[in-house]
Amino acid sequence: MVARIAFRPLLRVLNEARENESWAELKLLLTDRLFVAREIQTKDHNPLPPILFQMATAYAAKLGIADLLEGSPQSSVALAASTRSDARSLYRLLRALSSVGILSQVGEDRFALSRAGNGLRSNVPGSLRAIAITIGEIHYRACGELLHSVQTGSPAFNQAFGTNLFDYLQQNTEAAGAFNQGMTNLDSLLAHAVLLAYDFSEITSIVDVGGGEGKLLMKILELYPEMSGIVFDLPVGLTDRARCDAERCSYVAGNFFDSVPQRADAYLLSGVLHDWSDDLAVVILNNCRKAMAKNGRVLIIEMIVPETNSPSFSKLLDLNMMIMTGGRERTKSEFHALLDAAGFRITRIIPTMAPQSIIEAVPQ
């Protein structure tokens, strides 16, 4: 599917960027985050094996290498002193990351930050540092139990950690902090793509179901001042809240398997349904359908797996969901079947500039 930019939302985004001086952020997100993967993939040299690439990037992120290189190139010796690392071993890590474009090697033993590696800095819009750390620390260990998932159909994470992902995060504050920050940063990336593709002007009230800190909803409300919204999540997910206009936005704690806030025009499910099996996803969708106002809709933001035998990151993410939660990425026909089972019909599927699409559905 071809990514879409709708004309009226584009004007809103550009006008908002001009008024609140966020144009630099928008430009950075669109050029350095959504498209930078192409730059890495088109390099002439052979990349690291994927699991080593993830681990190398994760531990460079944890050591704060990108932050240390923000000002100017440094030697591995200087970086080792700053990070309390072994200089020779760190040099080998930095050299490997330079070979895949995350860093640039300047001379024999000096390293600089590349455009691709800039996203690992802590203080840039849409920082990827937290999610890189999460992937390296909990995803990697769970991936080691992939065979368990293949043979049993159960999440490998549970086998590796002795509990499910969400209970583990409630019990481990450091891991939860990195995970939640990573999700929030990804939401800030995704928000621009969603706002460029979808016109929210007919919606006056919206619930961000499983919305975490509420970053995506905040971006929507900034662009549509006539709209009000609710961020709905488990209490632990609402610990670190984004800045919220109290008159237009509120945080409500609850469990979407039990119920969701009532009588909104739209229910936003961004990266929620892929965490769950079809049976549990239907429960969430049913609760949204029962709660929504007349003429309400759900807006599902997810990747769509191609039904053809074509390369797609969504197929690898599908394995990740099988490993981590027992959830799945879905094809277009699988989304139609899922929503039909929950009493919805899909009205349109809108590709965005991000890997995700927006699936709009209304009650049958």
Side-chain angles (χ1 to χ4, degrees):
M1 292 187 289
V2 178
R4 171 182 168 179
I5 297 179
F7 181 67
R8 285 200 299 175
L10 173 61
L11 291 181
R12 277 185 181 257
V13 169
L14 293 177
N15 187 57
E16 176 70 15
R18 177 180 60 82
E19 290 184 355
N20 67 15
E21 300 181 349
S22 65
W23 169 246
E25 174 183 321
L26 174 61
K27 182 180 178 182
L28 178 64
L29 291 170
L30 293 177
T31 58
D32 281 10
R33 301 294 186 278
L34 298 181
F35 303 137
V36 75
R38 293 182 195 166
E39 182 178 303
I40 298 173
Q41 291 170 1
T42 56
K43 282 193 165 289
D44 293 334
H45 41 64
N46 294 325
L48 292 173
I51 194 67
L52 279 179
F53 173 79
Q54 291 177 4
M55 294 302 297
T57 303
Y59 290 117
K62 191 171 183 68
L63 291 171
I65 297 297
D67 290 335
L68 292 170
L69 293 176
E70 179 180 353
S72 61
Q74 294 191 42
S75 69
S76 61
V77 174
L79 291 168
S82 298
T83 60
R84 298 182 180 180
S85 302
D86 175 73
R88 189 60 189 167
S89 298
L90 183 61
Y91 167 80
R92 294 163 71 181
L93 175 67
L94 301 175
R95 181 177 62 180
L97 289 173
S98 296
S99 75
V100 292
I102 298 298
L103 302 177
S104 298
Q105 189 165 356
V106 184
E108 183 177 349
D109 183 24
R110 286 178 68 79
F111 296 89
L113 197 58
S114 71
R115 179 186 171 194
N118 192 57
L120 294 176
R121 287 167 50 201
S122 302
N123 59 351
V124 295
S127 170
L128 301 176
R129 184 186 181 211
I131 196 65
I133 292 172
T134 294
I135 289 171
E137 295 195 335
I138 63 174
H139 284 66
Y140 173 71
R141 183 173 161 191
C143 284
E145 298 291 343
L146 172 60
L147 183 61
H148 174 79
S149 287
V150 173
Q151 292 184 322
T152 68
S154 301
F157 186 96
N158 299 27
Q159 177 74 5
F161 288 87
T163 187
N164 67 61
L165 171 63
F166 299 108
D167 285 346
Y168 175 83
L169 293 175
Q170 289 190 53
Q171 297 161 12
N172 294 270
T173 55
E174 183 177 353
F179 180 88
N180 291 334
Q181 185 61 54
M183 294 298 103
T184 296
N185 290 341
L186 291 178
D187 279 346
S188 73
L189 292 175
L190 181 58
H192 289 280
V194 169
L195 287 166
L196 286 168
Y198 192 84
D199 187 352
F200 288 84
S201 59
E202 294 181 356
I203 297 171
T204 59
S205 59
I206 187 169
V207 177
D208 188 357
V209 179
E213 297 179 16
K215 188 70 172 181
L216 177 56
L217 182 60
M218 294 306 102
K219 292 286 187 182
I220 295 171
L221 295 181
E222 284 176 10
L223 210 61
Y224 292 87
E226 67 280 5
M227 187 189 299
S228 63
I230 295 172
V231 182
F232 180 73
D233 210 329
L234 294 170
V236 67
L238 301 177
T239 301
D240 296 315
R241 301 179 180 183
R243 292 174 58 187
C244 183
D245 181 344
E247 294 184 359
R248 298 175 50 221
C249 174
S250 59
Y251 291 85
V252 175
N255 187 327
F256 49 49
F257 289 119
D258 298 328
S259 64
V260 297
Q262 298 286 308
R263 294 183 294 279
D265 295 333
Y267 289 78
L268 183 66
L269 294 159
S270 179
V272 171
L273 297 184
H274 75 165
D275 285 336
W276 308 103
S277 68
D278 286 349
D279 289 344
L280 291 175
V282 166
V283 172
I284 299 168
L285 289 166
N286 272 331
N287 286 336
C288 292
R289 179 177 50 79
K290 294 173 184 176
M292 66 179 49
K294 184 179 180 181
N295 300 322
R297 71 193 82 176
V298 289
L299 300 172
I300 301 164
I301 303 174
E302 298 274 6
M303 290 189 190
I304 296 180
V305 180
E307 307 210 38
T308 59
N309 184 27
S310 57
S312 174
F313 176 68
S314 62
K315 297 176 182 180
L316 295 176
L317 186 61
D318 179 58
L319 276 184
N320 182 66
M321 302 317 300
M322 178 175 74
I323 289 167
M324 298 300 290
T325 67
R328 61 185 302 171
E329 304 300 324
R330 295 175 172 91
T331 64
K332 182 178 177 179
S333 62
E334 287 170 338
F335 271 115
H336 275 281
L338 181 72
L339 285 153
D340 181 70
F344 285 96
R345 63 178 177 85
I346 294 177
T347 50
R348 50 183 173 155
I349 298 177
I350 306 169
T352 75
M353 297 179 73
Q356 293 88 344
S357 294
I358 305 166
I359 304 166
E360 180 190 71
V362 298
Q364 294 175 350

